[in-house]
Each structure stands twice: as structure tokens, then as C-alpha cells.
Amino acid sequence: MKTRQAYINCKLSMKKILFVFYLQFFTIIFFAQDGYVKGYIVNYKGDTIKGKIKDRKYPKNLIGWQKINFINEKGEKDKYTADDIRGYSKSNSSSYRSLALGVEGTKRFAQILESGEIILFSYSLGLSQNARFQYYLQKVGDVNSLMEWREADYKKTANYFLKDDKELVKLIEDEKLKPGDIQTIVKEYNLWKFKQ
């Protein structure tokens, strides 16, 4: 009788130990991927690789984190910078492309705000809600057309990119559309161009 009770107690103890072990194991697996979202990267060969991405070190950080952590579908982890990959996309909600920005041409991940005949990119220069953004325009299929949207010469830039949409250019020339309306301007142009 004693041996049977000891056997049952031993079996229950083993079940408790296994339960605790599995609980800890799954907790580690679950929290190890905290902050990761589904997405994909695009390498410089043009290959799209699906997996999970974590791109920001701090949740309230508005600046694009310039290193991303990536776990592919095989569970392999890697880190990438804008020098390593062409771009990435998270949860089908936000996409980033590697662009050579600034005078020194340092590659950075810039967010794609609008796509179409003209692509609008945004790059944050700060860590707070008052962060300043730089905007860049590029004609689709023309990597050499990348140009910064600056308040000082936005009319000239608009004329270069939007010259075939005379009505939109006139609204900009008459200052009914201002430099801060860049996303609306690009969206309107892309819609107009799509209808042509």
C-alpha cells in the first residue's frame, strides 16, 4: 500500500514538475517575441522573405529605428540595417524603404506614406511628439528623381513632379496648398494620374 501511495505521489510530483517546465518554456517563447509583428523584408536581390519584425527600441519612439530584428519562418533570427536590405513591411500597415539621405548619402529606412506615380517618403528627426519630419518625393521607376520637399523651394519641387497636373500646380502656386499639405498633394496627384 505504501509503495502504491509513493508511486502515485511520485507521479503527481512529476506531472507538477512537467507542468511548471512547460509553463516556463511557453512563457519564454511567448515573451521572447514581445514586440514582433508579422511582416516581410526585401533583400537587394529582390527576394521577399516573410517572418516577424521588431523595428523600434522604444514603443513611443517616433524616429524610425535604423536596425530591425527579424525572425524568418524557420525561426532564425537576424538583424538588418538599411545597408543590408532594400526595405521591409510590417503587418501590411507600414512599409519602409532604404534610401540614401542627406549630403553624405547615408542609407536610412524611410516610411512610405503614399505610393503611385509619385512615392512620398517620411523620415523622422526626433524622439518626441514634436518631432520634425523630412519628406522626400520620387517618381516611380526613377531612383535618381529622389528629392527632399523643403518649405523654401516647395513650389519649384512641385512644378518638377506635378507639372502635367496644371490645376494642382496652380493651387500650389496660389498658396491654397501649402508645404505642410504634402501628403494631400501627392495623394491628389496620384489619383489624378490614375484616372488619366
Side-chain angles (χ1 to χ4, degrees):
M1 190 72 138
K2 268 187 169 181
T3 53
R4 187 166 187 202
Q5 186 64 43
Y7 174 77
I8 292 171
N9 287 343
C10 181
K11 205 170 180 183
L12 287 173
S13 294
M14 285 299 276
K15 283 184 179 180
K16 285 180 184 176
I17 290 169
L18 283 173
F19 175 75
V20 170
F21 171 76
Y22 283 123
L23 185 64
Q24 288 177 338
F25 176 75
F26 287 113
T27 302
I28 289 168
I29 295 294
F30 179 75
F31 286 110
Q33 295 183 13
D34 187 34
Y36 282 85
V37 294
K38 286 184 179 182
Y40 61 86
I41 62 168
V42 179
N43 64 24
Y44 280 109
K45 293 178 187 175
D47 301 326
T48 298
I49 304 162
K50 293 181 180 179
K52 293 183 179 180
I53 295 170
K54 183 176 181 182
D55 70 344
R56 299 188 187 269
K57 188 173 181 182
Y58 307 105
K60 295 186 180 177
N61 183 358
L62 293 179
I63 193 166
W65 192 245
Q66 294 305 309
K67 290 181 185 175
I68 65 163
N69 295 323
F70 182 73
I71 302 172
N72 67 22
E73 289 180 320
K74 296 177 185 173
E76 300 165 335
K77 292 183 180 181
D78 217 334
K79 291 183 182 181
Y80 296 104
T81 67
D83 290 320
D84 303 322
I85 58 174
R86 184 182 295 170
Y88 68 96
S89 183
K90 303 184 311 182
S91 299
N92 299 324
S93 63
S94 53
S95 296
Y96 297 81
R97 183 160 323 144
S98 175
L99 297 176
L101 302 178
V103 178
E104 63 283 344
T106 304
K107 285 195 176 181
R108 305 258 182 228
F109 288 126
Q111 185 175 7
I112 300 170
L113 296 179
E114 294 293 333
S115 288
E117 196 68 25
I118 294 177
I119 305 165
L120 174 63
F121 299 98
S122 170
Y123 179 72
S124 174
L125 299 171
L127 299 173
S128 69
Q129 296 292 348
N130 300 325
R132 197 170 66 83
F133 290 88
Q134 286 179 334
Y135 297 98
Y136 295 86
L137 300 174
Q138 186 178 57
K139 293 179 181 181
V140 72
D142 184 359
V143 293
N144 295 321
S145 67
L146 184 68
M147 191 180 299
E148 185 178 351
W149 179 263
R150 295 183 296 237
E151 191 170 337
D153 59 359
Y154 80 99
K155 291 179 184 180
K156 188 186 218 180
T157 305
N159 195 43
Y160 172 76
F161 281 94
L162 317 169
K163 63 184 166 202
D164 52 339
D165 186 347
K166 305 288 185 205
E167 187 179 333
L168 191 58
V169 170
K170 177 124 176 67
L171 290 170
I172 294 166
E173 289 292 330
D174 294 345
E175 296 186 7
K176 292 182 179 170
L177 290 171
K178 306 219 181 266
D181 298 320
I182 181 60
Q183 192 164 2
T184 301
I185 291 168
V186 172
K187 186 179 281 191
E188 285 298 315
Y189 177 80
N190 285 338
L191 282 170
W192 176 83
K193 195 72 175 174
F194 179 75
K195 292 175 184 176
Q196 299 304 304

